[in-house]
Amino acid sequence: MTTGAPTSSSSSARPRRSRLRTFLPLGIAAWLVLEIWLLSVVAGASSGFVVFLLLLAGFLGGAAVVKRAGRRAFENLNEAVQRGGSPARGGGNGFLMLAGLLLMIPGLVSDAVGLLLLLPPVQKAVGRYAERTMDRTLRAAGAGGLGDAFQQARIHRPDGKIVQGEVIHPDERDDTPSGPRPPLTR
C-alpha cells in the first residue's frame, strides 16, 4: 500500500551539497591561516609595532575609500533623481566599496587584494568576469532569465518540499467583485 510517506531508504538519503558550500569554509579557514602566518612573519622581520601601524593604515585607508565611494554613489543617485532617470555609472562604486572593506579587514592579503581593486583596469577586468559569469548562470537557469531563476528558487525549497500554486494577476481576473471584499478570517 502506498501512502505517500517517505520510506526509510529515501529519508536517509541526503541531498548533494554544492561545491561552493563544500569548499567555502575550507577556503576561508585557509585564508585566515595565511593572514595570521603572514602577519607573524612581518612581525618577526620587523616588529609588532610595524604590524600594528600597517593594520591601522589599512583600516583608515579603507574607511576613507568607503566614505569616498559612498559619497560618489550618493552624488550619482542625487543627479539621477534630479534629471528623472536612473544612475548611469554605478558599477565602479561597488568595487570601490569592496576594495575599502577588504582594506579594513585586518590582514596583508586582504589589503593587497583591496589595493588591486582600487586600480581601474582591475575593476574593469573583474567587472567583465562577473558579467560573463552572471550571463552564463542565467543562461543555465533557463531561457526565462532572472525572473524564472528566482521563481525556481522560490518553488523548490531547501528542505525538498515543492510549493504548488498559481499566481493570478489582478488584470487577468474575470470574476473581479465590484463591491468591498469580505474581511479575512484566521
Side-chain angles (χ1 to χ4, degrees), residues 17-146:
R17 291 176 60 151
S18 68
R19 283 189 199 174
L20 181 66
R21 288 187 59 196
T22 301
F23 293 116
L24 185 65
L26 295 173
I28 290 173
W31 171 62
L32 288 174
V33 168
L34 178 66
E35 291 279 19
I36 292 169
W37 175 76
L38 212 60
L39 286 173
S40 65
V41 167
V42 171
S46 57
S47 70
F49 186 68
V50 171
V51 170
F52 174 74
L53 289 178
L54 281 172
L55 293 176
L56 183 65
F59 183 81
L60 293 176
V65 168
V66 167
K67 183 177 178 181
R68 181 175 147 226
R71 183 178 293 139
R72 184 182 298 170
F74 184 73
E75 288 171 359
N76 289 344
L77 180 64
N78 195 14
E79 289 173 12
V81 167
Q82 287 181 356
R83 70 171 184 265
S86 62
R89 357 166 262 253
N93 293 327
F95 289 123
L96 285 176
M97 289 282 220
L98 179 61
L101 289 174
L102 285 171
L103 285 170
M104 291 174 74
I105 294 173
L108 299 177
V109 175
S110 61
D111 287 350
V113 173
L115 288 173
L116 279 176
L117 270 177
L118 289 176
L119 303 173
V122 175
Q123 287 179 359
K124 289 179 185 175
V126 170
R128 282 193 304 265
Y129 174 75
E131 186 177 346
R132 278 195 316 264
T133 304
M134 183 65 118
D135 286 343
R136 196 176 317 126
T137 304
L138 289 177
R139 264 188 261 118
L146 191 59

Side-chain angles (χ1 to χ4, degrees), residues 15 155-164:
I155 290 175
H156 299 285
R157 295 180 11 186
D159 59 359
K161 294 180 181 175
I162 298 177
V163 178
Q164 300 291 338

